[in-house]
Amino acid sequence: MSRPRVLRLFLPATVGRLAYGILPLALFFTVAQATGSLGSAGLTAAALNLTVVLGGPGRARLVDRFGRRVLPALAGLYAVSTALLVWAASAHAPTPILLAAAALVGACPPPLGPTMRTVWADLMPEGPLRLRALSLDAVVEEVLFTAGPLITGVAIAVADPRMALALALLLMIIGSAVFGFGPATSRTPTIADAADTPAETGAGLLRSPGFRPMLFTLAGLFAALGLVDVAVPVTAANAGTPASAGWLMAGMSAGSAVGGLLFGRRTWATPFARLLPRAALALAALVAGLILLSPLWVLAVGLIVTGLLLSPGLIMAYALADDLAPAGARTRASVWVNTAGNAGITMGTAVAGALADHVPAQLLYAVAALVLLGTATLPGRRLARTADPGIAPPAVATS
């Protein structure tokens, strides 16, 4: 497929995905402003996130069966349900109604990222180009989720959060429409295909050899990241400079972006099913080392180095998901990777939040390192046993 056709798919998908970087803070502050309650906004965000996770496989199943043309419809439903939520908040609706409206919003977001990763598998032959495409995708997503909150902050500063919310919905609708009706790819289903696809296609996805161990390995990696995400602000606050948490975390994000770019540019003879657990083990050592790093600028260097392994871990998980999934369930496989990561980081953040007021930050780093060690030696070991030539990564030329 020619480069212009690739850009006609990747650029609108990127535009739409930027909305997901803007929406969390924009919607949180819009609801908080309308209700006058940060607590209500927090409960609303929790209800929304719950259905985002629970409904992810179902939305992906729609894309697997009917193709990208369902994305604009989901984006439209998301915009309408978001407007309903904002109206309910402005009308000071009872909390149960707010939560129901938020749950409806969470049921609708179009799976732009997972669908784009499926498209990469269609567009790029197995080998160097596909791995580099997945690496680029992971790095771009990292940048979008860094830029999104900054855009929201500017919008709040010059106007109010509703401006950021409106911008995000506009980006989602435009991106989903252009991407959804963009050039067809080799596995884009037709209506006839959808009618002929058996309901059980992909039903054994979670039973595919290595798939569940891969998900648990990724969840453990992100659970540790959730602990670090709380430990860093606690460290900064204890040092008397809470604002420094921002550039400390930015350093880890920058390291992750660089790591993703470098990862896609060299040869990996080791199957990813073996390499992902080794990455978790290396991260355990790096995170344990954060306990000893002081002052803050030294910690920043340690976080940058630690971040180098984050995007590669995610890239390996996406590549494994694509290889391990049945042919009709690749979008669902990518969504399950997202779900595992989101569940892991949510659990890690929850544990860290419960401990943060009672233990020193160093203990949070230690718990994160132990989680990574357990991940590498339990689900990671099971994942490594599944390695065979069928799921080995393609050879990638070093340049």
Side-chain angles (χ1 to χ4, degrees):
M1 181 170 283
S2 64
R3 183 174 299 178
R5 296 187 75 191
V6 172
L7 292 177
R8 284 170 60 191
L9 292 168
F10 183 55
L11 290 181
T14 300
V15 168
R17 289 155 78 182
L18 177 57
Y20 292 125
I22 298 171
L23 278 164
L25 280 180
L27 193 54
F28 179 89
F29 283 114
T30 297
V31 172
Q33 186 181 77
T35 61
S37 168
L38 291 173
S40 294
L43 288 173
T44 298
L48 190 155
N49 289 334
L50 179 64
T51 50
V52 166
V53 172
L54 294 179
R59 293 188 298 273
R61 185 176 292 111
L62 288 174
V63 178
D64 279 329
R65 284 179 62 83
F66 300 108
R68 298 193 314 270
R69 61 183 172 273
V70 304
L71 297 174
L74 287 172
L77 289 172
Y78 190 95
V80 170
S81 56
T82 299
L84 179 63
L85 171 60
V86 173
W87 174 82
S90 302
H92 301 286
T95 298
I97 293 178
L98 269 184
L99 298 184
L104 180 61
V105 175
C108 301
L112 296 171
T115 304
M116 186 63 225
R117 285 183 285 273
T118 301
V119 168
W120 281 128
D122 293 345
L123 300 181
M124 301 298 177
E126 189 172 348
L129 286 178
R130 184 181 298 181
L131 184 59
R132 291 184 184 184
L134 289 172
S135 300
L136 173 66
D137 195 272
V139 171
V140 167
E141 196 163 79
E142 188 86 40
V143 172
L144 294 179
F145 279 88
T146 300
L150 297 177
I151 293 172
T152 303
V154 171
I156 291 173
V158 301
D160 66 43
R162 288 175 296 180
M163 175 181 175
L165 186 61
L167 173 62
L169 293 176
L170 182 63
L171 290 173
M172 179 185 289
I173 290 170
I174 292 174
S176 297
V178 179
F179 180 46
F181 293 109
T185 59
S186 60
R187 285 199 298 264
T188 301
T190 64
I191 293 176
D193 292 334
D196 293 340
T197 301
E200 63 269 23
T201 297
L205 179 60
L206 294 179
R207 295 192 296 272
S208 298
F211 197 83
R212 280 188 293 182
M214 179 272 291
L215 292 181
F216 281 113
T217 301
L218 187 71
L221 192 152
F222 274 79
L225 178 61
L227 283 152
V228 172
D229 281 348
V230 175
V232 170
V234 171
T235 301
N238 290 344
T241 56
S244 62
W247 57 264
L248 287 169
M249 295 304 298
M252 188 162 66
S253 294
S256 180
V258 171
L261 288 173
L262 295 176
F263 183 81
R265 294 183 63 83
R266 63 154 298 182
T267 300
W268 299 103
T270 305
F272 286 174
R274 293 195 184 105
L275 201 56
L276 182 57
R278 293 179 190 179
L281 194 59
L283 273 170
L286 290 171
V287 171
L290 298 177
I291 299 170
L292 307 174
L293 300 185
S294 182
L296 291 183
W297 71 266
V298 180
L299 176 62
V301 173
L303 288 169
I304 291 171
V305 175
T306 301
L308 290 172
L309 292 178
L310 294 179
S311 278
L314 195 57
I315 293 163
M316 285 187 276
Y318 285 134
L320 280 167
D322 187 68
D323 287 340
L324 294 170
R330 284 187 168 89
T331 306
R332 267 169 283 172
S334 184
V335 166
W336 274 113
V337 171
N338 283 2
T339 299
N342 289 337
I345 203 165
T346 299
M347 288 187 292
T349 303
V351 170
L355 295 175
D357 289 333
H358 309 289
V359 302
Q362 287 77 6
L363 185 59
L364 297 179
Y365 295 122
V367 173
L370 288 173
V371 168
L372 287 164
L373 183 61
T375 297
T377 56
L378 294 174
R381 182 175 294 178
R382 288 187 60 200
L383 175 61
R385 289 197 197 108
T386 68
D388 60 49
I391 57 174
V396 182
T398 304
S399 61

